[in-house]
Amino acid sequence: MYSVVDIETTGNGGKEGKVTEIAIISFNGERITNSFVSLVNPECSIPYYITKLTGIDNNMVQNAPKFYEIAKEIVLLTANTIFVAHNSAFDYNFIRNEFSRLGYNYQRKTLCTVQLSRKLLPGHASYSLGNLCNNLGITVTNRHRAEGDALATVELLKILLQQHLSTETDSLFSQKKGL
């Protein structure tokens, strides 16, 4: 079972940055079985350049739940699954840091679709989500929003799983320890 995750953030580094939106798509390797999407009140101001990129502004998140209010849902949805993201280190580290601020040590096995794409789909000039989707015919709605990017990542993961899911790809999973 996979938890395909995408987040939008305040744009700062993982230690200081905060999540402004999260999407978690539960995927069993064949179909979507559950999903969770929420804006998140980062309890700080969202920089203009982030608003310009994502469309998420301070007014949108003003009444959204704070991270601690959705933390249990995140833990439950991702328990006993592989945390999948396009550039998983970015999403995973932001989420780990959010949990760390709450005093919780969040750990999941991870899979990066950027790394897996480079291995299983060689020859692309760029492995950004947008470029891969264009090259592979994956439709992306709401680019640079958590749900749109997470759904596109699910479609990419389907292609990657069809290409080759064997012990060869096991080396791309990593159990993250510590911060």
Side-chain angles (χ1 to χ4, degrees), residues 13 18 24 35-36 54-55 70 76-77 87 89 92 94 97 99 104 111 113-114 119 121 132 134 143 159 166-167 174:
K18 304 284 288 215
I24 302 170
S35 66
F36 173 78
T54 66
I70 61 170
L76 293 173
L77 276 171
N87 188 8
Y92 185 72
F94 259 91
N97 285 327
F99 276 109
Y104 182 78
L111 176 64
T113 55
V114 173
K119 185 170 188 163
L121 304 171
L132 279 175
N134 285 338
R143 183 75 177 104
I159 291 169
S166 70
T167 55
S174 60

Side-chain angles (χ1 to χ4, degrees), residues 50-79:
I50 294 296
T51 296
K52 193 168 168 102
L53 176 68
T54 66
I56 300 170
D57 63 26
N58 293 312
N59 290 331
M60 289 173 67
V61 298
Q62 182 177 359
N63 295 317
K66 294 174 176 80
F67 190 85
Y68 74 86
E69 295 174 303
I70 61 170
K72 182 177 180 180
E73 184 83 17
I74 295 167
V75 169
L76 293 173
L77 276 171
T78 62

Side-chain angles (χ1 to χ4, degrees), residues 20 22 36 51 81-82 89 94 103 111 121 124 126 147 160 169 171:
T20 59
I22 186 167
F36 173 78
T51 296
T81 69
I82 298 167
F94 259 91
L111 176 64
L121 304 171
H124 290 271
S126 168
E147 184 176 32
L160 295 170
T169 59
S171 64

Side-chain angles (χ1 to χ4, degrees), residues 19-57:
V19 172
T20 59
E21 186 177 41
I22 186 167
I24 302 170
I25 310 295
S26 300
F27 178 65
N28 68 6
E30 295 177 9
R31 64 182 177 83
I32 293 171
T33 59
N34 198 0
S35 66
F36 173 78
V37 180
S38 181
L39 288 168
V40 180
N41 182 336
E43 303 181 79
C44 64
S45 184
I46 299 171
Y48 174 75
Y49 74 97
I50 294 296
T51 296
K52 193 168 168 102
L53 176 68
T54 66
I56 300 170
D57 63 26

